[in-house]
Amino acid sequence: MVDQSSTKYKTVAETLAQTFYDHNVTHIYGVPGGGSSLPLIEAAAQLGIKFVLTRTECGAMIMASAAAELTGSIGVALTTKGPGVASAVNGAACALLDRAPVILVTDGFTEQQASFITHQFIDQKSLLAPVTKGHSRLEDNQVLGEINRLINLAMTAPCGPVHIELTGAIAKKELIEPQTQVIKQDYPLDIDNLESLINANQLITKSLKPVIVVGLEARSSENSQAIRQLIDRSGYPVLATYKAKGVISDYHPQYVGIFTGGTAESACVLQADLIILIGVDPVEFVLQKWRYQAPVIDISVVKYPVHYIKPDVGIYGSISINVGALLASISVRRPGWTLSGIEVLRQDMQHALQCQADQGIGPQDVVQVALESALATQTAQQQAQLPLITVDAGAHMFSVMAFWPCHQPLDVLISNGLATMAYALPAAIAAAMNTSDRMVIAFTGDGGLLMCLGELSTAVEQGTPIIVIVFNDQSLSLIDIKQQASGLPSRGMRWQTPNFSQVMEGLGGRGYQVENLQQYRQALDEALKAGKPALIDVLVNPDGYVPQLKALRG
C-alpha cells in the first residue's frame, strides 16, 4: 500500500523533467511538436531548465551530445514525431559513435492513432533502433524506474543515446511516485584483472621502448589524473586520438602528436617494442588495417567486440584503478627513450603535417593566427586557458587538430566516431552555454556550415558569444582530393563562392570576409572583443591539403 504522506501527484512530463534536473541538465535542445513536447518544456521551465529552440533536429542532438561530453552527465534533445524524428537520426548516430549519453524525447502516436493514421506515421522505434541503445514509451506504472533504467543505459560504457517516445496523453498522465531524489551515479565495472595485470607488468618489465596511446575513455578527471602520473613516471612517448587531445598537454615533453591509425604517427610507433592503449575506443581509428607488430596492452572500460587488433593483454573496467595498479611496475625511466629523441619525433610530425600556402591564406595560417590573436587578448586571469574549440569534419580539421594546442581534456570537441559534417557550429553553441566563462571558437569548412547554416540564427538568438571561423575554399575539399587521387577529373565537388559574412550580418551577428592575413588579424581582434556571435569567412588557399593528407594517412 502506498504511503500517501510521502507522495504527491506528478505528471509523467514533470517526473521526466525532475529527473533531468536531478542529473544537472540545464538546457533541452530541440524543435518541438504539439504533443508531449509542450508539457515537457513547461515542466522543465518550472525547474529552471531552459529550452533552446534550434533550427534543425540534427543540430539539437549535436548540442545535447556536446553538453553531455562537457558536463559528464546526460544531454537532452526533443523533437516532434514523423519528420522531426527522421531529421534527428544523423544526430543520434553522432551521439552513438561519439559515445555521448543523450536522451532523445520524441512525440509519438497512440495505439488507436496508429490503427488509422498514415499521415507522418513511421515506425519511429525501428527507425532509431540502429542508432540508439534503448527505447521506452513510459506507459507502465513504474515511470521513474524506467526513466532511470534508460539513463543508466545511456551512461554505461560505451555511452550513447536512448529514445523516449512519448504521446501527449502519457506526458499529461498523473502518477503517484515516491518523492526520492535521483542521485547521479557512476557506473563502474567490477572486473577481476589480477592475472592480466601480472601479464602486463611482465611485458612492461621486458620492454625497452613502450609507447602510450590515449583515447576518448581517458578524458574524465580521475582517469586523466592517473594517466598523467603514469606518463610522468614512465618517460614513454605519448600519442592521443582526436577526442583525447588534452589528456596530456600538447606542451608536455613526452607528447608526440595525434594518433589516427594512419601514417603520421608510424615513425614513433614503429620504434616501440610495446604499445599501451589507454582508454582507446577503436571507433576513432581511420579505415586502415593495424600496421604494427609490437605486442599490445589494452586498458579500456569495456572489451570492444570489433577491434583493429587482438591485444596480448586486455585489462578492462575502471581505467583509473587499473592504471594506478600498473604504476607499481614502472619504478624508473627506461633508457630506450630520451626526451631529446621524443622532441625530434614531435618536430618531425609537425613538419610533415605543415599545410602552408604560397599565396593567400593557407589552412595552417587560419589556425596559427587565430591562436596568436587569442593569446594576445587574454587577461592575466585567463592566461592558463585558451578558447575551447569545436571542429567540423573535413580537410581543415587536420590543420586544426595538429596546430591548436590543448592542455586539458575536452579543450576540443570533435565528431570522430561518426565524423559527421555540420558538427562544429551546434557543438560550439552548446559549449558556450555550458562554459559561460570561456571563449568558444568553431572551426568549420564551408560545406559543413552550409549543412547547418540556420544554426547561426540560433547562436544569435541565444546570444552565445562564439566565433565561427570558416575555411572557405568553395568545395568539399577532402572528397575532391580523393577524387583527383583516384585519377578522376574534379566533378560535382565545387560550388560558387558563398559570402557567409553577409549571411551572419543578416541574422544579426558580426560578419567578416577576409582574403589576406592583415584582414584576418583585424577581423579576429574585433571578433574576440565583440561579446556577441561573430563569423569570419576566410577565403582559403587549399593547395597544402594534398601533401598534408598523404603525410597523415598515407
Side-chain angles (χ1 to χ4, degrees):
M1 187 153 186
V2 176
D3 180 2
Q4 297 292 334
S5 64
S6 63
T7 62
K8 71 172 187 176
Y9 290 101
K10 273 191 174 182
T11 66
V12 171
E14 289 169 338
T15 302
L16 190 55
Q18 181 66 53
T19 310
F20 294 159
Y21 177 85
D22 292 337
H23 283 79
N24 301 318
V25 172
T26 57
H27 297 82
I28 296 175
Y29 308 91
V31 184
S36 61
S37 302
L38 302 182
L40 179 57
I41 290 170
E42 181 57 28
Q46 295 302 314
L47 297 170
I49 299 174
K50 181 179 180 180
F51 174 68
V52 178
L53 177 62
T54 64
R55 304 309 183 254
T56 64
E57 292 84 357
C58 181
M61 285 295 293
I62 290 173
M63 291 180 203
S65 296
E69 289 192 70
L70 288 170
T71 63
S73 186
I74 56 173
V76 181
L78 65 80
T79 77
T80 187
K81 55 184 173 286
V85 175
S87 182
V89 171
N90 186 68
C94 179
L96 182 73
L97 295 185
D98 286 304
R99 312 312 194 198
V102 174
I103 314 300
L104 171 59
V105 184
T106 73
D107 286 336
F109 294 90
T110 66
E111 287 188 12
Q112 182 184 16
Q113 288 172 328
S115 68
F116 69 91
I117 288 176
T118 54
H119 177 68
Q120 293 192 324
F121 180 83
I122 50 177
D123 185 343
Q124 299 181 156
K125 177 182 178 181
S126 296
L127 177 66
L128 286 169
V131 291
T132 52
K133 295 182 66 179
H135 170 274
S136 178
R137 295 176 62 90
L138 302 186
E139 290 180 331
D140 61 22
N141 292 324
Q142 301 300 317
V143 170
L144 186 57
E146 180 69 352
I147 295 169
N148 286 327
R149 179 188 72 82
L150 287 173
I151 292 175
N152 289 354
L153 182 61
M155 297 188 72
T156 299
C159 298
V162 293
H163 176 205
I164 295 176
E165 190 172 9
L166 200 59
T167 66
I170 292 296
K172 298 170 187 174
K173 179 182 175 182
E174 289 189 335
L175 303 169
I176 298 178
E177 295 268 0
Q179 297 305 295
T180 55
Q181 185 178 9
V182 181
I183 305 299
K184 179 188 169 186
Q185 307 175 49
D186 292 320
Y187 307 96
L189 295 174
D190 185 13
I191 298 174
D192 182 4
N193 283 303
L194 180 59
E195 183 177 353
S196 294
L197 287 166
I198 292 172
N199 292 335
N201 286 336
Q202 292 174 347
L203 282 175
I204 291 170
T205 301
K206 290 190 300 182
S207 65
L208 291 176
K209 300 187 76 173
V211 65
I212 294 173
V213 180
V214 294
L216 67 86
E217 293 176 352
R219 295 175 297 171
S220 71
S221 58
E222 60 270 20
N223 288 348
S224 60
Q225 182 178 2
I227 291 166
R228 287 182 174 197
Q229 290 176 350
L230 179 66
I231 289 167
D232 289 338
R233 181 177 296 185
S234 71
Y236 305 158
V238 183
L239 297 129
T241 65
Y242 281 163
K243 292 184 82 71
K245 191 172 166 72
V247 169
I248 174 176
S249 170
D250 282 34
Y251 294 124
H252 193 287
Q254 290 163 238
Y255 178 70
V256 176
I258 291 294
F259 187 97
T260 67
T263 302
E265 65 268 19
S266 61
C268 174
V269 184
L270 284 171
Q271 295 184 40
D273 57 2
L274 177 65
I275 301 169
I276 305 174
L277 306 179
I278 306 181
V280 170
D281 186 326
V283 78
E284 290 202 82
F285 294 171
V286 296
L287 308 177
Q288 297 183 14
K289 290 184 177 180
W290 187 257
R291 61 185 71 203
Y292 307 110
Q293 300 301 315
V296 175
I297 298 173
D298 181 26
I299 306 171
S300 181
V301 177
V302 295
K303 181 178 181 180
Y304 291 94
V306 179
H307 208 302
Y308 289 73
I309 51 103
K310 182 178 180 181
D312 296 79
V313 177
I315 304 173
Y316 305 109
S318 169
I319 289 177
S320 59
I321 291 174
N322 288 323
V323 168
L326 279 182
L327 277 170
S329 65
I330 304 174
S331 56
V332 294
R333 293 189 175 219
R334 297 307 174 88
W337 295 109
T338 64
L339 292 181
S340 60
I342 294 172
E343 172 66 19
V344 170
L345 289 170
R346 178 169 57 251
Q347 291 180 353
D348 287 348
M349 183 182 286
Q350 289 273 301
H351 179 74
L353 295 179
Q354 296 285 315
C355 194
Q356 303 283 4
D358 293 332
Q359 296 181 337
I361 307 176
Q364 187 174 335
D365 295 326
V366 177
V367 181
Q368 292 183 324
V369 173
L371 177 62
E372 292 167 7
S373 296
L375 287 169
T377 59
Q378 284 184 329
T379 66
Q381 292 78 19
Q382 296 171 324
Q383 284 297 321
Q385 210 172 38
L386 285 170
L388 184 154
I389 65 169
T390 64
V391 187
D392 221 88
H396 67 280
M397 73 180 178
F398 305 140
S399 292
V400 180
M401 299 305 291
F403 298 108
W404 185 277
C406 294
H407 302 289
Q408 298 293 332
L410 300 168
D411 277 353
V412 56
L413 297 178
I414 184 171
S415 172
N416 196 31
L418 184 63
T420 183
M421 297 172 70
Y423 173 87
L425 173 56
I429 294 170
M433 291 179 176
N434 285 275
T435 54
S436 58
D437 60 340
R438 190 173 182 188
M439 173 64 67
V440 178
I441 297 177
F443 288 104
T444 182
D446 46 353
L449 181 58
L450 285 167
M451 293 180 183
C452 62
L453 198 60
E455 301 302 350
L456 290 173
S457 176
T458 307
V460 172
E461 184 176 88
Q462 297 298 325
T464 52
I466 64 174
I467 299 176
V468 181
I469 299 178
V470 189
F471 294 70
N472 189 348
D473 58 9
Q474 307 90 57
S475 70
L476 286 175
S477 295
L478 187 55
I479 311 306
D480 193 23
I481 292 168
K482 293 178 180 180
Q483 189 178 55
Q484 294 176 62
S486 301
L488 299 170
S490 181
R491 195 188 309 278
M493 302 300 160
R494 301 179 184 181
W495 45 74
Q496 292 183 352
T497 308
N499 191 321
F500 294 108
S501 65
Q502 292 180 346
V503 175
M504 188 58 161
E505 289 279 355
L507 292 170
R510 293 280 185 89
Y512 310 85
Q513 188 174 75
V514 301
E515 57 185 2
N516 59 55
L517 289 176
Q518 181 179 355
Q519 293 174 347
Y520 183 40
R521 287 190 175 95
Q522 182 177 347
L524 279 165
D525 289 343
E526 292 182 17
L528 285 163
K529 299 171 185 175
K532 65 185 294 186
L535 180 147
I536 303 176
D537 185 6
V538 186
L539 302 181
V540 171
N541 182 345
D543 288 348
Y545 281 146
V546 173
Q548 185 185 50
L549 179 61
K550 185 174 182 180
L552 185 70
R553 295 187 178 177

